[in-house]
Amino acid sequence: MTKPIYILNGPNLNRLGKREPEIYGKTTLAEVEAICREAAGPQAVEFRQTNSETQLIDWVHEAIDEGSGIIINPAAYTFTSLALLDALKMFPGPIIELHISNIHRREAYYHHSYVSKVATSVIAGLGTDGYGIAVGAMNDLLKKRKAET
Ligand code: CA2
């Protein structure tokens, strides 16, 4: 069995489904987790959310030692955190950066992502459906890597 996929969520995403449904939809984070587990099938998943930059970085370090892939919605840290970028640079596997909204259609301060510099792929604007799609894509990336080794 391959190592778990880490699905990491940054600040304020614990409020998903409760505020600004016109931007982020009505699905809660607990429902998103259930969608991810369903999409993963037998592939193990570590699904987490934090409002702390330090915690997010510590989880990336954990994933470096114990994870096969990272799907990350860093929320506001996408646009501010060189420390998160430095941590992700150390991860040897595939990284999918995920945003519920299409950040490029939004205000200019949402247009420059540090995380995109190291992401294998970026998914944005598919709503919370993007999570299930990201898990399917991650499973495919991991299968391809395994076949190549
Ligand atoms: O679209 C996304 O997934 C974002 O990463 C969400 C971040 C925002 O800073 C990014 O530009 C795009 C903000 C998350 C705020 O979370 C909320 C969740 C529910 C209700 C209100 C805010």
Side-chain angles (χ1 to χ4, degrees):
M1 179 62 70
T2 49
K3 295 166 165 184
I5 297 172
Y6 278 68
I7 305 177
L8 303 178
N9 295 281
N12 299 307
L13 288 164
N14 53 318
R15 307 298 296 167
L16 209 58
K18 296 169 185 149
R19 297 285 301 277
E20 299 184 70
E22 67 288 355
I23 301 176
Y24 301 111
K26 289 185 181 166
T27 309
T28 65
L29 198 64
E31 290 166 338
V32 169
E33 178 173 356
I35 289 164
C36 288
R37 291 193 184 283
E38 168 99 44
Q43 168 64 51
V45 160
E46 287 290 335
F47 188 97
R48 301 184 186 170
Q49 188 276 332
T50 179
N51 294 324
S52 150
E53 185 177 13
T54 311
Q55 180 66 86
L56 203 54
I57 290 163
D58 284 344
W59 286 341
V60 171
H61 292 174
E62 185 183 313
I64 290 164
D65 296 331
E66 294 173 27
S68 56
I70 295 178
I71 297 169
I72 185 164
N73 184 345
Y77 294 133
T78 309
F79 317 103
T80 63
S81 182
L82 278 169
L84 179 61
L85 171 63
D86 285 342
L88 287 167
K89 273 182 185 166
M90 294 184 257
F91 186 70
I95 298 169
I96 299 181
E97 175 185 352
L98 184 139
H99 301 283
I100 297 164
S101 61
N102 180 354
I103 53 176
H104 300 290
R105 284 182 67 171
R106 302 186 61 192
E107 295 89 335
Y109 48 78
Y110 289 134
H111 292 175
H112 179 265
S113 164
Y114 285 112
V115 172
S116 293
K117 299 282 173 210
V118 287
T120 311
S121 157
V122 181
I123 295 174
L126 295 176
T128 48
D129 291 349
Y131 280 85
I133 291 164
V135 170
M138 180 59 78
N139 272 345
D140 289 347
L141 286 168
L142 292 172
K143 265 187 219 141
K144 273 187 200 143
R145 281 202 174 213
K146 212 173 171 187
E148 282 163 13
T149 57

